[in-house]
């Protein structure tokens, strides 16, 4: 039996039929017990798609966040499916102010919000169910496990007390339901792609339910000799004894692919090299990512509007492999350095929050903490004129004897961090809501250079504040404003082997939101400044360096329109002026952040009373010109427009077929970069077809 046939056959064997219509859920901790079931007033977080169940307070954003973050968006499961989201970046294309960043050889999700990005090596921080999920490193997320993506913007985009003036991404996992249901999705596509997803949930007892999500994908890859294999298994259990809900969510991921830095710019042109050409060495094999997450959350209704949410999570991961990465372009020859990577991460975190009502106030007090153990072991051999280890940039030929590796980086980082925060949402009048929060962090960080024995330490107890307000002019229009501070620890060492000070920042946001009929429109102005952000060292791109300061200011507009019972539109535009204030950098523009970006997505559903019929969707995104590197001869990534379209037909309530195309007009573009020789090209036109079976 062939590998794709075995993959699809095994998927079909484990799908079990279930009732199509969900039964009534047993009593649980719900929004009703928190007196929040009234229609949301203007200014609450905008939901894109259809929310089919109340949000779990232990996994999602809190009341203060939803009330005072009108620029934020929650992208629900049905819209994620309609938009064909196979990567986290696909989903974030639906929201303004997000730009793609260096993907670390294809093994990392990375993005910037409002011009602010994580480190080029570690990537932007994001959360899963309220827990930081990629501290140190994490593999690309598989969309099958996600129920909803919350992009919480601005200083009021606080999640469990965390404060960042730009915003946070929180992925909410699929969890068990007490009504039996099952589905299987089987698909094939361009470049030898084969994918299967299974999702089944059922009650095991009157107050105990289980769910299992399994996803498997194989692809030959659109880049020459860059195939992909990933597997994800996510079991979960929910126990609801009375007014308490306990939920366990696990996730085991295997992700294998050759480490691929992309293509070099030729004569300053980011699109000049053949976009499918692989400049690594096939003999290096694949880079193997292994990751496990286990979390337990509790949500308890205490009565009189009070509730306690708590949880703990533990994650381990390893990344191992060899690569031959571009070092410099000399004429038509691309010199390469050879590397080996052996990374390991082990982190545990816990949190608890007590929240409730006191008259017109919604106070909350919380504690959280985490312990991180992160080891980075690299070996490297740089090219020389005598031994360039080079390939032709137009027609690479493989098979050279690899150079002997030498010790490079061998760091062991340990962190201990604890947080105490208090916040309050005060409905001062029927129209005016005010919010304030204070957060005290206590941290210790130690980074030991095992090559030299040198140890760097950082200890601190910074205090951060946040305030916000929302005023409803009427039932249609609301105004909002917020200001906040933040502190984030940095990982890694510079070219001298020294650690980095924490990143610190502050910023504000002001704007207006409109809700009228089927229209939800938000317009926001923001101004944020941060210090100590890490980026590529302009002297040596093999290392990181802190930016003196980075200021980002801009305007964002997001709109969601339900035209009628059939058609929905989602549109956005962002002007983001992110500039570096540091004379050590040859360009003031932030890496990979465009001044202008926009998107439009339309979805139409034409189903009859029996659930049969067609669904159509189409969209386009515009990304403006961006700085593609910050070396002295820096590169500009040109602007581009990328379109997508899909058609799905429900043969019955249980069977449907789907065809979709991404990059519909086969645009040539550079998606992101790290340096002038590490530019990751965008994928060509990609077509997929699939069958979905539900029970």
């Amino acid at each position: 039996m062939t590998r794709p046939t075995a993959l699809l056959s095994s998927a079909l064997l484990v799908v079990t039929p279930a009732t199509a219509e969900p039964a009534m859920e047993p009593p649980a901790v719900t929004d009703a017990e928190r007196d929040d079931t009234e229609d949301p007033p203007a200014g609450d977080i905008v939901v894109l798609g259809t929310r089919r169940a109340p949000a779990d307070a232990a996994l999602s954003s809190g009341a203060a966040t939803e009330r005072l973050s009108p620029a934020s968006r929650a992208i629900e499961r049905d819209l994620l499916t309609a938009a064909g989201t196979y990567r986290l970046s696909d989903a974030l294309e639906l929201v303004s102010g997000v730009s793609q960043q260096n993907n670390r050889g294809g093994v990392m999700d990375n993005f910037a919000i409002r011009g602010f990005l994580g480190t080029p090596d570690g990537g932007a921080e994001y959360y899963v169910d309220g827990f930081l999920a990629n501290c140190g490193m994490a593999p690309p997320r598989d969309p099958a496990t996600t129920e909803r993506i919350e992009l919480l913007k601005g200083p009021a985009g606080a999640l469990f007390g965390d404060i960042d003036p730009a915003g946070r991404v929180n992925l909410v996992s699929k969890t068990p339901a007490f009504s039996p249901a099952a589905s299987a999705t089987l698909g094939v596509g361009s470049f030898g792609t084969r994918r299967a997803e299974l999702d089944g949930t059922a009650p095991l007892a009157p107050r105990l339910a289980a769910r299992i999500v399994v996803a498997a994908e194989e692809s030959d890859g659109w880049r020459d000799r860059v195939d992909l294999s990933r597997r994800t298994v996510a079991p979960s259990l929910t126990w609801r004894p009375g007014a308490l809900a306990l939920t366990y969510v696990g996730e085991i991921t295997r992700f294998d692919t050759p480490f691929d830095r992309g293509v070099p710019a030729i004569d300053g042109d980011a699109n000049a090299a053949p976009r499918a050409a692989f400049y690594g060495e096939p003999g290096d094999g694949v880079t193997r990512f292994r990751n496990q997450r286990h979390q337990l959350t509790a949500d308890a209704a205490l009565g009189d509007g009070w509730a306690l949410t708590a949880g703990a999570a533990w994650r381990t991961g390893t990344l191992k492999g060899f690569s031959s990465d571009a070092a410099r372009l000399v004429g038509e020859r691309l010199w390469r350095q050879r590397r080996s990577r052996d990374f390991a991460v082990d982190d545990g975190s816990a949190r608890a929050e007590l929240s409730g009502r006191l008259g017109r106030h919604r106070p909350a007090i919380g504690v959280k903490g985490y312990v991180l153990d992160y080891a980075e072991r690299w070996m490297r051999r740089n090219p020389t004129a005598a031994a360039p280890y080079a390939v032709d940039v137009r027609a690479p030929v493989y098979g050279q004897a690899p150079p002997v590796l030498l010790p490079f980086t061998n760091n062991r980082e340990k962190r201990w961090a604890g947080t105490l925060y208090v916040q309050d949402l005060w409905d001062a009048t029927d129209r005016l809501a005010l919010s304030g929060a204070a957060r005290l962090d206590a941290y210790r960080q130690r980074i030991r250079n095992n090559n030299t024995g040198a140890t760097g330490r950082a200890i601190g107890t910074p205090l951060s504040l946040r305030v916000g307000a929302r005023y409803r002019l009427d039932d249609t229009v609301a105004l909002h404003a917020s200001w906040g501070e933040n502190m984030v620890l940095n990982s890694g060492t510079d070219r001298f082997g020294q650690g980095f000070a924490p990143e610190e920042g502050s910023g504000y946001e002001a704007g207006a939101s409109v809700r009228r009929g089927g229209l939800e429109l938000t317009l926001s102005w923001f101004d944020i400044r941060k210090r100590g952000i890490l980026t590529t060292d302009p002297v040596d791109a093999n290392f990181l360096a802190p930016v003196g300061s980075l200021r980002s200011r801009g305007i964002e507009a997001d709109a969601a329109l339900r035209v009628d019972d059939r058609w929905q539109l989602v549109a956005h535009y962002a002007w983001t002026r992110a500039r570096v204030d540091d004379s050590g950098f040859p360009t003031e523009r932030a890496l990979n952040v465009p001044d202008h970006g926009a998107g439009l997505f339309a979805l139409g559903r034409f189903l009859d009373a029996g659930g049969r019929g067609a669904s159509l969707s189409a969209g386009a995104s515009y990304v403006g010109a961006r700085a593609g590197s910050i070396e002295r001869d820096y590169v500009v990534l040109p602007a581009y427009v990328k379109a997508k379209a899909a058609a799905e037909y429900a043969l019955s309530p249980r069977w449907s077929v789907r065809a979709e195309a991404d990059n519909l007009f086969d645009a040539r573009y550079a998606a992101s970069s790290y340096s002038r020789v590490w530019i990751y090209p965008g994928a060509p036109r990609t077509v997929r077809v699939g069958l979905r079976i539900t029970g």
Side-chain angles (χ1 to χ4, degrees):
M1 182 179 290
T2 64
R3 184 169 57 177
T5 304
L7 180 67
L8 300 184
S9 298
S10 61
L12 286 171
L13 287 174
V14 300
V15 178
T16 55
T19 57
E21 293 298 324
M24 183 66 69
E25 298 277 348
V29 181
T30 67
D31 287 339
E33 291 170 314
R34 294 183 174 81
D35 302 323
D36 289 337
T37 56
E38 70 272 12
D39 292 336
D44 284 359
I45 189 171
V46 174
V47 174
L48 302 179
T50 303
R51 182 166 294 181
R52 303 187 183 280
D56 187 332
L59 309 179
S60 305
S61 55
T65 298
E66 298 218 345
R67 180 67 64 87
L68 292 169
S69 287
S72 301
R73 295 292 183 269
I75 310 171
E76 299 295 325
R77 178 73 254 172
D78 61 335
L79 188 58
L80 292 174
T81 300
T85 53
Y86 292 88
R87 298 160 298 181
L88 181 56
S89 59
D90 295 331
L92 298 180
E93 286 181 352
L94 297 169
V95 184
S96 67
V98 182
S99 55
Q100 291 191 52
Q101 296 292 314
N102 156 56
N103 65 11
R104 200 180 193 181
V107 298
M108 178 176 70
D109 289 316
N110 199 3
F111 52 87
I113 302 175
R114 292 182 170 178
F116 291 98
L117 50 147
T119 68
D121 286 341
E125 294 181 338
Y126 63 82
Y127 289 75
V128 174
D129 302 331
F131 296 99
L132 186 58
N134 67 332
C135 199
M137 61 175 188
R141 299 289 305 175
D142 193 293
T145 64
T146 300
E147 181 66 32
R148 176 172 67 259
I149 297 177
E150 299 175 337
L151 178 52
L152 308 171
K153 290 187 181 180
L159 185 67
F160 300 105
D162 284 12
I163 301 170
D164 191 313
R168 288 288 195 218
V169 169
N170 181 50
L171 287 75
V172 180
S173 300
K174 292 178 177 178
T175 53
F178 282 82
S179 50
S183 67
T185 303
L186 313 172
V188 296
S190 303
F191 317 112
T193 299
R194 296 85 69 195
R195 181 173 172 85
E197 296 180 16
L198 303 171
D199 185 357
T201 184
L204 304 180
R207 295 188 177 273
L208 179 66
R211 188 167 192 165
I212 183 74
V213 178
V214 180
E217 182 177 343
E218 301 279 345
S219 176
D220 298 334
W222 68 271
R223 306 251 311 131
D224 293 343
R225 301 174 183 264
V226 183
D227 55 357
L228 167 70
S229 174
R230 68 174 172 182
R231 303 283 189 274
T232 299
V233 179
S236 54
L237 289 169
T238 293
W239 180 45
R240 293 179 173 176
L244 172 67
L246 291 173
T247 298
Y248 161 79
V249 177
E251 186 175 281
I252 302 170
T253 301
R254 191 188 82 180
F255 189 92
D256 295 342
T257 188
F259 201 87
D260 176 22
R261 287 293 193 182
V263 303
I266 301 176
D267 297 327
D269 185 351
N271 291 324
R275 63 177 168 181
F278 176 54
Y279 296 107
E281 193 64 42
D284 289 334
V286 299
T287 294
R288 294 177 170 83
F289 222 138
R290 302 292 183 266
N291 197 74
Q292 290 190 38
R293 292 186 71 254
H294 302 277
Q295 70 183 44
L296 180 66
T297 56
D299 187 14
L302 306 179
D304 296 326
W306 286 85
L308 177 66
T309 59
W314 173 63
R315 179 176 67 100
T316 61
T318 60
L319 182 147
K320 298 181 180 181
F322 293 87
S323 68
S324 298
D325 302 342
R328 58 184 296 200
L329 184 61
V330 180
E332 292 286 301
R333 302 285 287 172
L334 187 65
W335 293 16
R336 301 177 301 175
Q337 61 178 224
R338 191 161 190 261
R339 295 187 176 193
S340 71
R341 296 170 182 82
D342 184 359
F343 302 163
V345 64
D346 190 325
D347 75 77
S349 55
R351 54 178 167 80
E353 179 180 283
L354 177 66
S355 60
R357 287 179 180 269
L358 290 174
R360 300 180 71 91
H361 291 266
R362 295 191 188 191
I365 182 170
V367 293
K368 57 183 294 185
Y370 72 90
V371 177
L372 171 71
D373 188 346
Y374 179 46
E376 266 190 329
R377 293 175 288 272
W378 303 42
M379 297 186 73
R380 185 182 73 171
R381 188 63 174 261
N382 278 329
T384 64
Y389 193 44
V391 292
D392 188 277
V393 73
R394 302 289 183 182
V397 176
Y398 312 111
Q400 299 178 52
V404 177
L405 293 170
L406 300 174
F408 177 45
T409 298
N410 187 351
N411 290 341
R412 181 81 175 269
E413 176 184 359
K414 291 192 175 183
R415 294 189 202 172
W416 301 265
T419 300
L420 170 66
Y421 66 90
V422 292
Q423 62 183 17
D424 183 35
L425 173 62
W426 176 32
D427 290 317
T429 70
D430 291 340
R431 295 182 180 273
L432 176 64
L434 301 174
S435 176
R439 163 181 165 169
L440 179 66
D441 288 289
Y443 66 86
R444 293 177 58 200
Q445 182 182 36
R446 185 183 71 198
I447 302 177
R448 176 180 171 82
N449 185 328
N450 292 320
N451 290 333
T452 65
T455 301
R457 290 180 171 84
I459 301 174
T461 53
L463 176 68
S464 303
L465 304 174
R466 189 189 79 243
V467 293
R470 181 181 63 87
Y471 183 77
R472 288 194 295 133
L473 298 177
D474 52 33
D475 291 339
T476 300
V477 181
L479 306 178
H480 67 274
S482 56
W483 172 88
E485 301 172 306
N486 88 303
M487 184 283 300
V488 177
L489 294 175
N490 281 319
S491 289
T493 55
D494 61 18
R495 66 179 184 273
F496 305 110
Q498 301 299 312
F500 301 104
E503 166 190 309
E504 296 178 338
S506 62
Y508 65 83
E509 173 188 31
S513 57
V514 177
R515 291 193 177 190
R516 184 180 181 87
L519 174 66
E520 294 176 318
L521 172 66
T522 303
L523 183 68
S524 296
W525 161 266
F526 61 89
D527 193 322
I528 312 165
R529 187 182 294 272
K530 286 189 181 181
R531 298 165 298 281
I533 298 173
L534 300 186
T535 188
T536 310
D537 190 325
V539 177
D540 186 344
N542 294 301
F543 294 92
L544 301 176
V547 175
S549 68
L550 174 63
R551 182 186 183 188
S552 181
R553 53 194 174 92
I555 298 173
E556 295 175 348
D558 287 87
L561 174 64
R562 187 174 294 275
V563 180
D564 53 30
D565 292 339
R566 294 182 171 182
W567 284 100
Q568 299 176 58
L569 297 175
V570 176
H572 63 82
Y573 166 77
W575 170 67
T576 307
R577 184 174 175 81
R579 297 295 186 264
V580 172
D581 181 15
D582 191 325
S583 60
F585 288 78
T587 175
E588 65 174 1
R589 300 186 66 171
L591 191 64
N592 290 305
V593 178
D595 281 0
H596 301 277
L600 175 66
F601 184 78
L603 172 63
R605 294 185 175 94
F606 306 90
L607 305 179
D608 62 21
R612 301 173 180 83
S615 297
L616 304 174
S617 64
S621 57
Y622 167 78
V623 178
R626 298 138 288 150
S629 68
I630 57 173
E631 302 115 320
R632 288 179 175 83
D633 295 327
Y634 64 87
V635 174
V636 174
L637 307 184
Y640 67 90
V641 176
K642 182 169 70 75
K644 63 170 57 178
E648 184 169 345
Y649 192 85
L651 304 169
S652 73
R654 296 188 60 185
W655 294 78
S656 63
V657 292
R658 177 182 173 89
E660 60 188 8
D662 197 11
N663 195 4
L664 184 63
F665 302 111
D666 201 24
R668 175 67 195 269
Y669 66 99
S672 62
S673 67
Y674 184 93
S675 72
R676 61 184 300 105
V677 294
W678 292 351
I679 297 172
Y680 208 83
R685 181 189 299 112
T686 303
V687 177
R688 305 180 188 91
V689 295
L691 171 68
R692 181 175 175 81
I693 312 165
T694 59

